[in-house]
Amino acid sequence: MPSKMALVDFGKCNPDMCESGICAAVEACPHKLLKQEVPGDIPMTNPSLCRGCGTCAQACPAKAIKIVTQ
Ligand code: SF4
Ligand code: SF4
């Protein structure tokens, strides 16, 4: 059964668009599955646990997160 997951488009992600470089998508994930090492970094997803709900994608001001079916 296919499952959905978040994927960060590295070309579109621009942490400068986020307040203090803190990824808005990281803050938005209700399951705390996105990780950002330090402000200004591109966030990393957690494909094995991500539920593909899309909350992070909606929060990203750069529209850099896509929900894909794997
Ligand atoms: S993924 Fe979106 S919300 Fe997160 S740092 Fe990049 S631009 Fe900001
Ligand atoms: S799609 Fe949902 S579960 Fe997955 S990282 Fe985004 S907010 Fe979290």
Side-chain angles (χ1 to χ4, degrees), residues 8 12-15 17-18 22-25 36 41 43 59-62 64-65:
V8 180
K12 281 190 180 171
C13 172
N14 179 6
M17 290 177 75
C18 293
I22 295 169
C23 177
Q36 187 185 37
D41 267 10
C60 174
I65 301 182

Side-chain angles (χ1 to χ4, degrees), residues 5-47:
M5 56 171 268
L7 199 67
V8 180
D9 183 333
F10 292 173
K12 281 190 180 171
C13 172
N14 179 6
D16 288 343
M17 290 177 75
C18 293
E19 199 175 330
S20 302
I22 295 169
C23 177
V26 167
E27 307 244 288
C29 177
H31 310 290
K32 308 271 180 242
L33 295 180
L34 289 169
K35 297 286 176 223
Q36 187 185 37
E37 290 285 324
V38 291
D41 267 10
I42 289 174
M44 290 295 141
T45 57
N46 187 330

Side-chain angles (χ1 to χ4, degrees), residues 39-63:
D41 267 10
I42 289 174
M44 290 295 141
T45 57
N46 187 330
S48 57
L49 294 177
C50 176
R51 294 142 201 234
C53 67
T55 304
C56 57
Q58 285 172 20
C60 174
K63 304 217 179 306

